[in-house]
Amino acid sequence: MRILLIMDPGIPVPPPAYGGHERLVYMFAEEYAKLGHEVSLLAGPDSAISGKTYAFGQNNLQRSKRQKLKELLFVWKFLYQRKKDFDLIHNFGRLAYLLPILQSPVKKIMTYGRPVAQQGIKKVTSLPNQNLIFTACSNYCVNTGNVAGRWETVYNAIDFSKYQLQEATATDAPLMFLGRLDQIKGLHTAIAVAKATNNTLWIGGNIPDTADNYQYYKETLEPQFDNKQIIYLGALNDEQKNHYLGRSKALLFPIEWDEPFGMVMVEAMACGTPVIAFKRGSVPEVIQENTTGFIVHTKEEMIDAVGKLDQITRKACRTAAQQRFDSPVIAKEYLHLHDQENN
């Protein structure tokens, strides 16, 4: 099968550092290729996959509206001229990219990794179209956009081969927090839980660059970093995440917003590390209670859950998560959607 993946410019595919969605696109491109498909990618400059790559636009997240319009016109021309060259077009970029081929027989998957703007869905589905499927990374996310058209939940994925199972941890193993140090990520709660349970807390993540979150970081978080019990490790790459997550007794995920998926939860599980998380957004879908972690509602419940970690087998934690979120599993789910459309 001939597959085209589309991603917005701004960050190359794969990303050199930050870029969760770009990393997903790269993983799926490689998985499709491993399964024997002819894969092409339409994405920003410096992108590269095992198949063909077509570059467009600028790698600049602050690029102008005029530049984004030029990019839109480029994609429109590309798809209109090349639509018969592909059997499946899998779009992770702007929904508007698909306008010229809505009525084309080519199969189209539009994938979302965040809450969906319903207005765009209503407009597109009101136009004549065929062979168009919308997907999002959780039932929670699907429910934000499921106002028209066909919708399916297909979870995000990680490459489990990059994470090693640690079947046992030291009795004094730290807890861990991994994510942006924004207030909605709830690091202040993780610190309070670590102190209340007399545990060390390892912290990995980027310092915020928005004014309000930077103030939160400087006033609420930084004064508590003592490099003894509350240890800030900085921003971590994949190798470092594997190292620290694998040596942690649990990942704390005390979010204060409705996270669409929460990739760090699966990264922890891939190491065998259970997750204790607040019941927000997709958390109830990602965590299997008593197998891959615990779902809680309050700081006090999170403190109690730390005392239950010995109930979870780390090998079973990884196995359960791998069966649901490994990249080959999710790639096949997308291809199954294409097969369903053909039947």
Side-chain angles (χ1 to χ4, degrees), residues 307-334:
K308 302 177 183 176
L309 290 170
D310 59 356
Q311 299 177 15
I312 291 181
T313 304
R314 293 176 66 95
K315 185 176 181 179
C317 174
R318 176 184 165 98
T319 298
Q322 187 169 14
Q323 290 171 349
R324 302 178 67 209
F325 304 120
D326 200 2
S327 50
V329 174
I330 303 301
K332 289 175 182 176
E333 287 191 26
Y334 279 122

Side-chain angles (χ1 to χ4, degrees), residues 18-42:
Y18 170 80
H21 226 48
E22 288 77 11
R23 187 170 285 109
L24 282 173
V25 173
Y26 178 76
M27 277 195 302
F28 292 134
E30 297 304 295
E31 290 298 336
Y32 292 156
K34 288 177 187 175
L35 292 169
H37 300 288
E38 182 182 315
V39 184
S40 300
L41 171 68
L42 181 59

Side-chain angles (χ1 to χ4, degrees), residues 109-121:
I109 298 176
M110 177 67 221
T111 291
Y112 289 94
R114 58 182 60 89
V116 181
Q118 296 183 355
Q119 187 176 9
I121 302 299

Side-chain angles (χ1 to χ4, degrees), residues 280-342:
R280 296 287 303 265
S282 64
V283 164
E285 301 174 61
V286 177
I287 293 178
Q288 293 172 273
E289 187 76 19
N290 299 312
T291 299
T292 61
F294 301 102
I295 301 168
V296 298
H297 301 82
T298 65
K299 178 182 70 176
E300 289 70 28
E301 289 184 6
M302 186 167 281
I303 291 168
D304 290 341
V306 171
K308 302 177 183 176
L309 290 170
D310 59 356
Q311 299 177 15
I312 291 181
T313 304
R314 293 176 66 95
K315 185 176 181 179
C317 174
R318 176 184 165 98
T319 298
Q322 187 169 14
Q323 290 171 349
R324 302 178 67 209
F325 304 120
D326 200 2
S327 50
V329 174
I330 303 301
K332 289 175 182 176
E333 287 191 26
Y334 279 122
L335 296 177
H336 181 61
L337 294 180
H338 172 272
D339 294 340
Q340 285 180 323
E341 283 291 293
N342 283 338

Side-chain angles (χ1 to χ4, degrees), residues 54-72:
Y54 302 93
F56 76 107
Q58 296 178 356
N59 284 334
N60 176 9
L61 294 177
Q62 306 303 321
R63 62 197 188 282
S64 66
K65 289 183 179 179
R66 178 181 178 84
Q67 173 60 30
K68 290 182 179 180
L69 177 59
K70 288 171 63 177
E71 294 167 356
L72 178 63

